Amino acid sequence: MSEAIDPSLATALEQLVADDGAAVLVALDFDGVLAPLVDDPTASRMTAATRAAVDRLAAHVRGDGPADAGAAAGRARLAFVSGRDLEDLAQRSVPPVGAYLVGSHGAQTGHATTAGLDAVPFELTAEQADVLAELTAALDAAVVGRDGAWVQRKPSAAVLHTRTAGPADTAAAVEAADAAAARLGLDAMHGKDVVEIAVLHTTKGEALERLRTVVAQDAGAPATRVLYAGDDTTDEKAFAVLGAGDVTIKVGPGETLAAHRVADSDAVAAVLDRITDLLAV
C-alpha cells in the first residue's frame, strides 16, 4: 500500500496535472530522493518502491500505458536532475526511454532513447581545462593523509567527498577545498558531506528553467508546470526558481525553500504513484 500523502501536497499534485493544455515536467534528484544516500556512490540504487513508481509513471508518459490513460499523459515528461556526471547518472538510474537527464548540476544534458543515452556534446575550453587540472591537483593534495576523504573527477568539476572521514580530517580538507576555490575564482558548492567546485557556472535551477522551455516545445504546449523533488542544499537553487503552479518537495529534514516535505524515498514513490493515477484519469 502506498504511503499517505499530506492533503496540501495531494491538492498541489491535482493542480499540477490539471488538463488545461500546459505541459507537466516531473523532475527528480537521484541520490537522497530516488536512492538512499550510501557511503559508496557507485553502490547507489533506487529503492524497489521508487523503481516501480518511476517505471509506472514513465509508461504513462510515453503513452504505452493502459488504453484508457488520460490525455494529460501526452503532456507529461520525466527528468532526472543530479550533480552526478551524466553517464554515471544514466548508469545508476537506468532511465526509462524518453526521460531527460541533467548531470553535473546542469552542465551536462541528455535524453534516454531506445539506443541508449543521447548526450549533448560537451567540451571545455583550453583555459577551463587548465583551471580544472589545477583545481583537481589542489583537492588531491587536500586529501593526502586524511582517511575517508577522496576526490571525484567530473568533466567540468572536482568533488571532495568526506562522508567516511573523521571530523578533524573533514574540517581540514573542506578548508583546503574552499581555499583552492577562492584562489581560482570559483564557487564551492557545499552539500551533504561533499564540496563540489566547477569551472562552469551552472545550477539545478538554471537547468530546470531551460528544461521547462524544452518540454513545452516538445509537448506543443504554451507553458510547463514543474514538480521538483530534492534533498540537498544544491537543490535549493531549483526550489528558488520555481513558483506559482509548480510543486517543490524537500525529501528529509533540514531548512528549505520547498513548499512541501516528505520523509524518504518510499514517500517519493507514493507521490509518483499519485501523479500516475491522476494522469491516467
Side-chain angles (χ1 to χ4, degrees):
M1 178 181 295
S2 296
E3 295 192 13
I5 296 176
D6 181 86
S8 65
L9 177 54
T11 298
L13 297 180
E14 291 174 1
Q15 295 170 345
L16 177 77
V17 302
D19 194 0
D20 59 358
V24 176
L25 172 62
V26 179
L28 310 161
D29 185 20
F30 183 71
D31 296 285
V33 174
L34 295 173
L37 296 174
V38 293
D39 291 342
D40 178 6
T42 65
S44 187
R45 298 289 186 278
M46 290 189 199
T47 66
T50 53
R51 178 80 266 173
V54 163
D55 290 344
R56 180 170 174 251
L57 173 59
H60 283 76
V61 168
R62 290 199 306 268
D64 58 4
D68 60 350
R75 301 180 286 107
R77 300 293 186 271
L78 175 66
F80 299 149
V81 181
S82 175
R84 284 181 180 263
D85 167 75
L86 188 68
E87 291 188 1
D88 184 33
L89 173 61
Q91 182 177 0
R92 305 300 160 202
S93 66
V94 191
V97 171
Y100 294 98
L101 282 83
V102 176
S104 299
H105 301 281
Q108 300 173 286
T109 57
H111 196 240
T113 73
T114 55
L117 176 63
D118 180 15
V120 175
F122 172 87
E123 186 175 356
L124 296 177
T125 66
E127 181 180 357
Q128 289 169 335
D130 288 343
V131 173
L132 180 58
E134 187 174 351
L135 168 65
T136 303
L139 294 194
D140 284 341
V143 301
V144 172
R146 296 185 172 119
D147 291 340
W150 59 282
V151 178
Q152 177 187 9
R153 289 155 170 76
K154 292 184 179 181
S156 63
V159 188
L160 169 67
H161 288 259
T162 58
R163 184 175 300 278
T164 59
D169 284 338
T170 293
V174 169
E175 182 179 0
D178 286 342
R183 176 168 54 82
L184 294 170
L186 304 173
D187 293 328
M189 293 188 294
H190 289 248
K192 293 180 178 177
D193 303 308
V194 299
V195 179
E196 179 158 349
I197 306 170
V199 299
L200 294 177
H201 175 75
T202 59
T203 69
K204 291 180 177 180
E206 292 171 353
L208 276 184
E209 289 295 83
R210 292 192 297 268
L211 197 51
R212 183 198 295 272
T213 300
V214 169
V215 167
Q217 293 172 345
D218 184 40
T224 303
R225 287 191 293 269
V226 179
L227 176 146
Y228 184 71
D231 74 304
D232 208 345
T233 55
T234 58
D235 296 305
E236 296 300 316
K237 298 289 188 180
F239 297 146
V241 304
L242 301 182
D246 299 320
V247 179
T248 51
I249 303 175
K250 167 77 169 183
V251 182
E255 294 185 6
T256 185
L257 296 173
H260 305 279
R261 187 188 303 272
V262 299
D264 52 24
S265 296
D266 284 347
V268 173
V271 169
L272 298 182
D273 279 335
R274 179 57 179 156
I275 293 171
T276 302
D277 291 343
L278 292 168
L279 290 173
V281 172

